[in-house]
Amino acid sequence: MNRVRVAMATVALDLLVIACYPGGQTGGRAPNFQGITKWIKSEPLTVAGLEGKVVPVDFWTYTCVNCIRTMPYSKDWHAKYADKGLVIVGVHSPEFEFEKITDNVAAAAREFGLAYPIAQDNNFATWQAYNN
């Protein structure tokens, strides 16, 4: 039960970043996706193009155990709500050099069964735009 609460809190925090950015002020627009080296499972997305949708932004990397533990919840939400306007955007921000290789990220996305768009943020430009 605690793992479920942690996962839900993580996703809720991601949603809060979008809804309240910048600096906790409501009504602001989330930063655009910046410096993305590759989009996996999607054409390039923009915040403006996602207006009117609920968009959790999930910063992750494929070797992070905490990231991996939240994936079942993101996958379930995507399966249940994608056709109702939910667009989960995974932002892959690598911890190690080998995680910058697009083929490795794409293989991990397949292995984990991630069907939603993934932005490869190798230079942490989007990460920094969201004040992480």
Side-chain angles (χ1 to χ4, degrees):
M1 186 60 135
N2 284 338
R3 289 193 330 204
V4 171
R5 287 183 184 155
V6 169
M8 294 302 290
T10 301
V11 173
L13 182 58
D14 290 344
L15 288 170
L16 183 62
V17 167
I18 293 171
C20 297
Y21 190 85
Q25 300 171 4
T26 59
R29 177 170 279 202
N32 209 3
F33 304 109
Q34 301 173 26
I36 301 304
T37 54
K38 181 76 175 173
W39 283 90
I40 299 166
K41 301 189 181 282
S42 175
E43 293 298 316
L45 300 175
T46 64
V47 169
L50 295 168
E51 191 166 330
K53 299 186 181 293
V54 175
V55 185
V57 175
D58 180 26
F59 290 90
W60 68 289
T61 187
Y62 67 84
T63 62
C64 169
V65 68
N66 291 322
C67 300
I68 294 167
R69 287 180 179 158
T70 65
M71 288 177 186
Y73 305 100
S74 297
K75 289 173 19 179
D76 187 50
W77 285 10
H78 175 75
K80 287 180 181 175
Y81 304 113
D83 63 341
K84 294 171 179 60
L86 178 76
V87 180
I88 298 172
V89 178
V91 177
H92 186 269
S93 303
E95 290 184 287
F96 305 105
E97 286 300 311
F98 64 86
E99 292 177 318
K100 293 181 178 181
I101 300 168
T102 301
D103 288 343
N104 292 351
V105 179
R110 279 191 306 276
E111 181 180 320
F112 292 126
L114 305 180
Y116 45 81
I118 299 168
Q120 197 172 350
D121 188 25
N122 282 351
N123 298 311
F124 298 92
T126 295
W127 173 274
Q128 290 170 352
Y130 278 76
N131 291 326
N132 283 321

